[in-house]
Amino acid sequence: MELLEKLVKTVDGKKVLLVETCGPLEASLQCLLQRKGAMTMSCQWKTQQLQSKLHQADVVVVGSTKPKEIPVSWIRPGTTIVNCYPDFLSGEHGYGQDVKYSNQSAIEAVGPLTIAMRMQNMVKTSERWIQSQQYREWNLHCLKLQPLSPVPSDIEISRGQSPKAVDVLAKEIGLLADEIEIYGQTKAKVRLSLLERLKDQTDGKYVLVAGITPTPLGEGKSTVTIGLVQALTAHLNVNSFACLRQPSQGPTFGVKGGAAGGGYAQVIPMEEFNLHLTGDIHAITAANNLLAAAVDARILHESTQSDKALYNRLVPVVNGVREFSSIQLARLKRLGINKTDPGTLTADEINKFVRLDIDPSTITWQRVLDTNDRFLRKITIGQANTEKGFFRQAQFDIAVASEIMAILALTTSLADMKERLGKMVVANDKNGQPVTAEDLGVTGALAVLMKDAIKPTLMQTLEGTPVFVHAGPFANIAHGNSSVLADKIALKLVGEEGFVVTEAGFGADIGMEKFFNIKCRASGLVPSVVVLVATVRALKMHGGGPNVTAGAPLKKEYTEENLQLVADGCCNLQKQIQIAQLFGVPVVVALNVFKTDAHAEVDLVCEIAKQSGAFDAVPCNHWSAGGRGAVELAQAVRKAASQENHFKYLYNLELPIIEKIRIIAQKVYGAEDIELSPAAQSQISRYSKQGFGNLPICMAKTHLSLSHQPERKGVPTGFILPISDVRASIGAGFIYPLVGTMSTMPGLPTRPCFYDIDLDPDTEQVKGLF
């Protein structure tokens, strides 16, 4: 048809003869030609009326080589001939060399044009593919909010908004269909292949939300994070992404409740956000407990079997063949045994291979559960007769305290995660050398359990802006930040002028310090701005107000204007601003406003913050008004992000472990010095000898005070920071000193949140979450 359009101006009214064009080709040509107004006839070379039909035709389309006995003279002069058979290029078309001149007929073949069109199609397809791999401009349709007064409960607000289908949201922000794995209607995992596709895309601006030392009620960092991105995208038309941690079910059913934000600045659906989400914490629990089971099982089997029996079971004969697994070959290599045939190992080599010789007193790997259960803080395991008298004291930690959670938050790829999982130290052997997950042969299995958990989960805010929910380490017993991978993917998606807003747990002295010194080192990312969240309520507490207790009504000092308490408490805000300035990043103070706050109190806080070195300080009303209530904050953040950045780490990794701990204690917490227990001193010496001295420090400390004493508010001074113990998360890549007594398994209060949580059996709706 392409040739005919070039050779014949129009086929309308022309007689077209199809010779030997059988099957689909004939049917297609007849259809196309008749659409163009041509009259079509079909025949074979052996047809009796062939000469007559050839003479009548204006156009002849042939599907096979003309037989020699058919003379060219049968074709009327001026007839256009089109060849559709594959061997035309060989010259064997049967018309002779002078047919054009003798008959003045035009002979053309589809072969060369087919090749040209295929080449053209390949170019077009390649261009489309290349274009699909490039960054795509957002076409985001935000959801409208109609805030009510008084503000309904969080779950009522969440349920009152109809979220977009997650595949629609994904398309709006430039994700390809094969880059998401959908979980239900409102959640999707995002594949890491996106990082390769957008590797040349310039990152957006990187914003950290931190806070002052909080009350037990929390001061609303998650709410500020959500309010800020709603303001940026829904009200200022700036691409933005929120990156949040997945909440543990411990606090959700304990005291604190959920962590989806609150009021008109939250992630929806909030019940899905706060409960199982996409199962990442369950995967971590399974992986963690598999490793714990492997530790105790290995000790039992080594204590009850000979070297030969162990070897025969670890390297069994299968279908007449005996061979090492890949992880066993790696262990042999680490032991300096360069053999691959199981039958060639000497007795001494077999002994080295089968014996880990774990010292039970040095086991640091605990089982985990994502429930607050104080009675699992110390337990005895192995009491059944089948364990042959091997029992020991152990404990459960909350699931989010697992080192695997910390690894998930800090890893940069699947290969990196697998390597980190293998490096996790579970105990020491009887010679004082570390025993790892790789030594136990469980690395591959752990990676399999975590293969889906490594992908960030895409959700949305109340105003339809995108959110990544990924990883959830606590900030007081871990590093307290969402994942590096979520941040990296989001920074590519928002584009060069966009913003990624992530949140660090608890006060700036804890979550922010670890964000800079641990997370930024792992990611290589440089933050643009710190948003420091404060509340009048918390400042009054730091100024000498009465204790704030979760679940109890606030005292009148917190609900009535008291400028003196606010002014006195601003010392904590000033200290946290100074901590942020240690890292060379501009600070914007976000004052999370409550309805009981007086205008004079709000103005006073903003004034003191600016006098203390903050780039700006703005009151925020996103809880009651959504993104519209954080527009001023968003504008301040955009201005601060354009400032020159002098980001730097607090300490050099090459410094001794003790010196790094001392720098954090003195410069961040304001301690006079540190005091190491004998156990802590011994562990530091051991880790230094084992080659772990160059890792960053992750302090495990109370979040309720700058010091180690929760009751000391404001800015404590003159205290000595006690380091009771020092442990190592080698896979995650940090040393964590324990300050004072730190529990890694929360307990339930007298009246937990679960009293208010219920399910409607008719509608299947969750009630009572907050």
Side-chain angles (χ1 to χ4, degrees):
M1 295 304 295
E2 185 86 9
L3 276 174
L4 285 174
E5 287 177 5
K6 293 178 179 179
L7 297 171
V8 184
K9 289 185 177 180
T10 176
V11 296
D12 187 17
K14 303 284 186 183
K15 294 179 181 178
V16 180
L17 178 64
L18 308 178
V19 184
E20 295 273 355
T21 55
C22 304
L25 174 61
E26 181 178 327
S28 300
L29 283 170
Q30 283 182 339
C31 180
L32 290 168
L33 287 164
Q34 288 168 9
R35 283 183 186 176
K36 296 284 187 178
M39 294 178 286
T40 62
M41 303 174 287
S42 299
C43 69
Q44 308 297 316
W45 288 120
K46 295 180 180 180
T47 300
Q48 290 183 357
Q49 299 85 12
L50 178 63
Q51 182 177 0
S52 172
K53 291 185 177 182
L54 284 171
H55 195 73
Q56 295 174 19
D58 300 307
V59 177
V60 178
V61 178
V62 295
S64 66
T65 306
K66 180 181 75 63
K68 292 181 179 179
E69 61 268 23
I70 306 290
V72 174
S73 59
W74 286 11
I75 301 173
R76 182 163 50 88
T79 301
T80 299
I81 303 171
V82 177
N83 292 284
C84 296
Y85 50 91
D87 59 347
F88 181 82
L89 289 177
S90 68
E92 299 297 325
H93 45 72
Y95 298 99
Q97 296 299 316
D98 58 349
V99 65
K100 282 191 177 182
Y101 303 103
S102 63
N103 288 318
Q104 294 82 44
S105 300
I107 303 177
E108 294 288 347
V110 300
L113 184 60
T114 301
I115 295 170
M117 291 176 73
R118 285 180 175 175
M119 292 172 67
Q120 188 179 53
N121 287 342
M122 178 62 73
V123 171
K124 289 178 179 178
T125 301
S126 299
E127 287 175 344
R128 283 196 299 268
W129 182 85
I130 291 169
Q131 188 176 12
S132 76
Q133 301 305 299
Q134 302 304 310
Y135 175 78
R136 295 183 173 189
E137 295 294 329
W138 285 20
N139 185 27
L140 192 69
H141 294 84
C142 295
L143 303 176
K144 298 298 181 184
L145 273 186
Q146 293 181 326
L148 301 175
S149 182
V151 177
S153 70
D154 290 351
I155 198 164
E156 287 175 319
I157 294 172
S158 173
R159 199 159 286 150
Q161 182 68 288
S162 297
K164 292 178 282 190
V166 72
D167 59 330
V168 173
L169 173 64
K171 186 176 181 180
E172 289 178 345
I173 61 173
L175 286 164
L176 306 182
D178 62 357
E179 290 174 338
I180 60 171
E181 299 170 4
I182 295 174
Y183 285 63
Q185 296 295 313
T186 56
K187 306 184 295 291
K189 286 284 192 183
V190 176
R191 293 176 178 161
L192 307 188
S193 58
L194 179 143
L195 285 172
E196 177 63 23
R197 176 169 70 88
L198 297 181
K199 63 183 178 182
D200 297 324
Q201 169 63 32
T202 305
D203 288 348
K205 306 291 192 302
Y206 196 27
V207 179
L208 174 69
V209 176
I212 64 171
T213 305
T215 68
L217 306 177
E219 308 318 307
K221 291 189 304 299
S222 299
T223 310
V224 168
T225 300
I226 301 302
L228 176 54
V229 294
Q230 288 181 177
L232 283 166
T233 302
H235 298 271
L236 298 181
N237 200 30
V238 176
N239 291 354
S240 71
F241 231 111
C243 292
L244 297 178
R245 291 174 293 165
Q246 179 184 352
S248 164
Q249 289 180 183
T252 299
F253 291 98
V255 175
K256 190 172 178 288
Y264 287 100
Q266 56 174 305
V267 181
I268 57 171
M270 66 92 75
E271 59 267 44
E272 293 186 25
F273 176 93
N274 283 313
L275 297 176
H276 305 283
L277 199 62
T278 47
D280 294 356
I281 292 180
H282 300 316
I284 289 165
T285 301
N288 183 100
N289 292 345
L290 175 62
L291 181 53
V295 172
D296 289 312
R298 187 59 177 262
I299 294 172
L300 172 67
H301 294 313
E302 286 190 22
S303 67
T304 56
Q305 297 180 55
S306 65
D307 289 356
K308 183 178 179 182
L310 278 170
Y311 193 58
N312 289 338
R313 286 181 170 87
L314 288 170
V315 194
V317 176
V318 180
N319 297 326
V321 179
R322 191 179 200 187
E323 58 184 9
F324 295 114
S325 67
S326 58
I327 201 166
Q328 288 176 328
L329 288 170
R331 173 163 166 74
L332 286 169
K333 189 174 180 180
R334 289 196 304 278
L335 292 170
I337 302 171
N338 297 313
K339 295 180 180 179
T340 57
D341 182 356
T344 61
L345 266 66
T346 66
D348 184 54
E349 288 170 338
I350 288 174
N351 175 267
K352 286 182 179 179
F353 175 73
V354 302
R355 299 280 170 191
L356 295 180
D357 280 333
I358 295 172
D359 181 352
S361 67
T362 66
I363 294 174
T364 55
W365 195 263
Q366 310 297 346
R367 289 162 173 82
V368 299
L369 186 71
D370 197 34
T371 302
N372 290 2
D373 191 345
R374 63 177 67 247
F375 287 94
L376 294 178
R377 289 171 178 169
K378 182 174 284 190
I379 60 173
T380 302
I381 61 172
Q383 295 190 79
N385 293 333
T386 51
E387 274 48 77
K388 304 176 183 179
F390 171 66
F391 59 90
R392 66 180 182 88
Q393 279 198 344
Q395 67 185 59
F396 271 78
D397 295 338
I398 190 86
V400 292
S402 170
E403 183 176 350
I404 297 176
M405 175 62 88
I407 287 173
L408 178 65
L410 293 172
T411 193
T412 55
S413 67
L414 196 55
D416 177 62
M417 181 179 74
K418 187 176 177 182
E419 182 181 348
R420 287 172 178 268
L421 291 170
K423 287 180 179 179
M424 293 187 302
V425 174
V426 299
N428 292 324
D429 64 20
K430 291 171 183 175
N431 293 319
Q433 294 304 306
V435 177
T436 65
E438 186 79 3
D439 292 325
L440 285 158
V442 75
T443 306
L446 299 181
V448 167
L449 287 169
M450 294 294 294
K451 72 179 181 65
D452 292 320
I454 196 174
K455 303 164 193 171
T457 299
L458 176 67
M459 293 188 76
Q460 63 194 284
T461 69
L462 276 167
E463 298 192 52
T465 65
V467 178
F468 273 141
V469 187
H470 201 212
F474 283 169
N476 54 349
I477 53 179
H479 66 283
N481 289 273
S482 62
S483 78
V484 166
L485 281 169
D487 291 356
K488 283 185 171 248
I489 292 172
L491 284 164
K492 297 296 183 187
L493 285 172
V494 296
E496 188 173 359
E497 299 303 317
F499 285 78
V500 171
V501 184
T502 189
E503 172 242 353
F506 298 129
D509 57 303
I510 297 183
M512 184 190 72
E513 180 270 315
K514 295 171 183 176
F515 172 86
F516 288 140
N517 285 320
I518 298 175
K519 185 177 179 181
C520 288
R521 275 193 165 103
S523 68
L525 299 174
V526 175
S528 309
V529 184
V530 169
V531 174
L532 194 63
V533 179
T535 61
V536 169
R537 175 181 69 194
L539 292 172
K540 285 181 175 179
M541 179 190 72
H542 288 298
N547 288 337
V548 175
T549 305
L554 289 171
K555 303 288 176 59
K556 64 180 180 61
E557 287 85 350
Y558 296 105
T559 58
E560 298 174 359
E561 182 177 319
N562 191 324
L563 294 177
Q564 189 59 53
L565 269 184
V566 173
D568 292 344
C570 278
C571 61
N572 188 271
L573 173 61
Q574 292 169 311
K575 174 64 176 174
Q576 302 287 12
I577 293 171
Q578 291 166 11
I579 294 170
Q581 290 173 334
L582 290 173
F583 299 92
V585 181
V587 179
V588 173
V589 172
L591 185 62
N592 204 4
V593 176
F594 289 76
K595 62 182 179 181
T596 54
D597 297 344
H599 290 297
E601 292 174 329
V602 171
D603 292 342
L604 178 62
V605 174
C606 292
E607 181 185 347
I608 292 174
K610 287 185 235 183
Q611 290 173 353
S612 303
F615 176 83
D616 204 350
V618 292
C620 304
N621 296 284
H622 46 271
W623 181 82
S624 59
R628 182 167 50 83
V631 168
E632 190 181 349
L633 173 63
Q635 291 168 335
V637 167
R638 290 183 73 185
K639 289 178 184 176
S642 65
Q643 301 297 301
E644 191 175 356
N645 195 315
H646 303 285
F647 175 68
K648 58 186 177 182
Y649 299 119
L650 185 63
Y651 51 79
N652 190 319
L653 290 180
E654 307 302 318
L655 291 172
I657 292 174
I658 292 177
E659 191 56 33
K660 287 182 282 194
I661 296 171
R662 181 175 283 112
I663 289 172
I664 295 172
Q666 292 178 334
K667 292 191 175 181
V668 177
Y669 306 151
E672 190 173 310
D673 204 350
I674 61 173
E675 182 179 54
L676 299 172
S677 71
Q681 185 65 65
S682 173
Q683 286 289 69
I684 288 173
S685 299
R686 175 177 292 166
Y687 292 141
S688 299
K689 288 177 183 176
Q690 291 174 345
F692 304 141
N694 291 340
L695 294 176
I697 303 299
C698 182
M699 303 288 277
K701 183 187 80 71
T702 179
H703 60 286
L704 297 173
S705 173
L706 284 162
S707 74
H708 58 289
Q709 298 166 300
E711 68 277 5
R712 295 189 68 177
K713 306 301 181 184
V715 182
T717 57
F719 62 94
I720 304 295
L721 195 74
I723 309 299
S724 59
D725 199 1
V726 176
R727 297 175 189 168
S729 292
I730 304 304
F734 53 72
I735 302 291
Y736 66 101
L738 276 68
V739 179
T741 304
M742 285 297 301
S743 173
T744 50
M745 170 56 84
L748 289 172
T750 305
R751 192 187 189 283
C753 297
F754 63 63
Y755 276 94
D756 302 309
I757 297 172
D758 200 0
L759 182 71
D760 187 318
D762 296 322
T763 63
E764 297 185 13
Q765 287 190 335
V766 177
K767 304 176 183 177
L769 273 179
F770 70 95

